[in-house]
Amino acid sequence: MDHLLSVEHLTTTELYGLIQRASQFKAGEVEIPNYQDVFVSNLFFENSTRTKSSFLVAEKKLGMQLIDFETATSSVQKGESLYDTCKTMESIGVNMLVIRHPQNAYYESLEGLNIPVINGGDGSGQHPTQCLLDLMTIYETFQSFKDLNVLICGDIKNSRVARSNYHSLTALGANVMFSSPEAWQDDTLHGAYVDIDEVIDKVDIVMLLRVQHERHEANEVTSFEADTYHERFGLTQGRYDQLQDHAIVMHPAPVNRGVEIASDLVEAPKSRIFKQMENGMYMRMAVIDTILKSRGEV
């Protein structure tokens, strides 16, 4: 694995391998490698708390040397292209880049780079490390993906999380369904759209998505009614009470409490929301380690 750009580029063997490696790091079953001679820079062109911070912790645990980058104080403000920014980092000795960018498939413009890129999220395209930490969290509970019934609820069209999880979970044998307002449905994904109330008592996993107002038209934002959305598509207490005993609740966060999920349910017994965040750091360690090992950086 030379890069991580999209989960669609990963085989099922690679998916299971990353889950296993991350789980070993989490359980303390393997010695953590020390990449003290490897330089990494996190290029985040969109705001982030969880993804950026967990990459930072993962990189520090692996002993890597961090090269600071902030768009507000970089030559991006002078019109420098993404490619030139990345090529500059490569030229001064950075060995790996983690990039989040608002442009879908931004990485297609970086083919001239000779250092690995980890996609930290591209527009409404893909979010592979979020998907991988979600897979790890699901596997911890069920020890399998085959025939699991997964309901992904919310802003499907604008969600890179929905896209990545749909492709990977389907490849691993799960049954993925969607529940969404018609305006936020994505017909490029082939899962069935269902009424949340008709399936809530049958699903193994309910995965809620943040309403992404920053990707909506202005009229959608001004007409949005949080209470109405919550009652129609959110996880209310009544819907939570209908979940099967073994079912789990997930959300990539940040959470709009009282919109996608009732505030009291964020840390309810079935919720894995903060467990996802914990697993994210270990999964990002596993991704970095796997890429560096494949490139001989041992």
Side-chain angles (χ1 to χ4, degrees):
M1 191 169 80
D2 292 331
H3 304 273
L4 179 60
L5 306 177
S6 164
V7 291
E8 294 175 73
H9 296 154
L10 298 177
T11 66
T12 55
T13 299
E14 288 173 320
L15 291 173
Y16 278 113
L18 288 166
I19 293 169
Q20 180 183 34
R21 187 63 170 163
S23 299
Q24 288 173 335
F25 281 140
K26 183 176 179 179
E29 295 174 351
V30 293
E31 183 177 351
I32 297 176
N34 188 346
Y35 293 107
Q36 61 182 0
D37 297 325
V38 176
F39 291 83
V40 61
S41 189
N42 301 308
L43 279 55
F44 275 64
F45 295 84
E46 287 187 326
N47 294 337
S48 173
T49 300
R50 276 147 296 280
T51 302
K52 186 175 183 180
S53 297
S54 66
F55 265 115
L56 284 168
V57 174
E59 292 155 359
K60 286 179 178 291
K61 282 182 174 289
L62 291 168
M64 303 174 79
Q65 305 299 313
L66 307 182
I67 305 303
D68 289 338
F69 176 85
E70 296 293 339
T71 55
T73 56
S74 76
S75 291
V76 171
Q77 302 303 318
K78 301 176 182 179
E80 183 174 70
S81 70
L82 175 62
Y83 176 81
D84 286 343
T85 296
C86 296
K87 199 66 180 176
T88 297
M89 291 295 184
E90 178 189 321
S91 299
I92 64 175
V94 172
N95 306 106
M96 172 179 280
L97 298 173
V98 179
I99 304 174
R100 170 172 288 188
H101 198 277
Q103 179 184 333
N104 284 17
Y106 67 80
Y107 43 79
E108 292 177 354
S109 69
L110 304 180
E111 292 181 358
L113 288 184
N114 299 304
I115 57 176
V117 171
I118 299 175
N119 182 7
D122 62 292
S124 57
Q126 292 272 346
H127 196 348
T129 59
Q130 177 68 48
C131 172
L132 288 166
L133 72 88
D134 289 345
L135 294 181
M136 178 182 176
T137 306
I138 292 168
Y139 194 77
E140 281 183 338
T141 299
F142 297 101
Q143 297 300 300
S144 176
F145 300 96
K146 185 171 175 56
D147 296 328
L148 290 177
N149 292 313
V150 183
L151 177 64
I152 302 180
C153 299
D155 192 354
I156 309 297
K157 181 174 71 173
N158 296 293
S159 175
R160 52 197 173 209
V161 175
R163 189 162 290 102
S164 294
N165 276 303
Y166 171 77
H167 288 299
S168 61
L169 286 166
T170 300
L172 291 166
N175 305 311
V176 180
M177 302 169 283
F178 300 115
S179 181
S180 172
E182 186 174 354
W184 298 347
Q185 295 179 8
D186 184 348
D187 57 12
T188 67
L189 303 178
H190 302 300
Y193 281 86
V194 298
D195 184 326
I196 185 172
D197 291 313
E198 292 182 0
V199 299
I200 194 66
D201 60 343
K202 304 176 184 67
V203 298
D204 303 296
I205 300 153
V206 56
M207 185 178 295
L208 307 157
L209 302 174
R210 181 176 66 87
V211 177
Q212 299 193 40
H213 290 305
E214 72 275 17
R215 304 191 197 282
H216 296 164
E217 300 292 338
N219 64 321
E220 288 183 275
V221 177
T222 55
S223 63
F224 180 78
E225 295 182 359
D227 290 344
T228 301
Y229 178 88
H230 182 64
E231 289 303 317
R232 291 191 60 194
F233 298 100
L235 188 65
T236 61
Q237 183 67 57
R239 291 185 178 121
Y240 179 89
D241 292 341
Q242 293 181 64
L243 289 169
Q244 299 181 85
D245 290 343
H246 66 265
I248 62 173
V249 175
M250 304 178 71
H251 192 305
V255 176
N256 293 309
R257 290 172 180 257
V259 181
E260 301 103 22
I261 180 172
S263 184
D264 290 346
L265 301 179
V266 173
E267 295 184 77
K270 297 182 190 300
S271 173
R272 298 295 184 273
I273 296 173
F274 286 102
K275 182 62 66 177
Q276 290 172 260
M277 298 178 201
E278 178 188 0
N279 287 342
M281 189 277 296
Y282 293 108
M283 180 52 76
R284 287 166 177 131
M285 286 178 67
V287 168
I288 293 168
D289 179 53
T290 300
I291 291 173
L292 292 177
K293 277 188 166 57
S294 74
R295 300 177 69 92
E297 299 280 358
V298 181

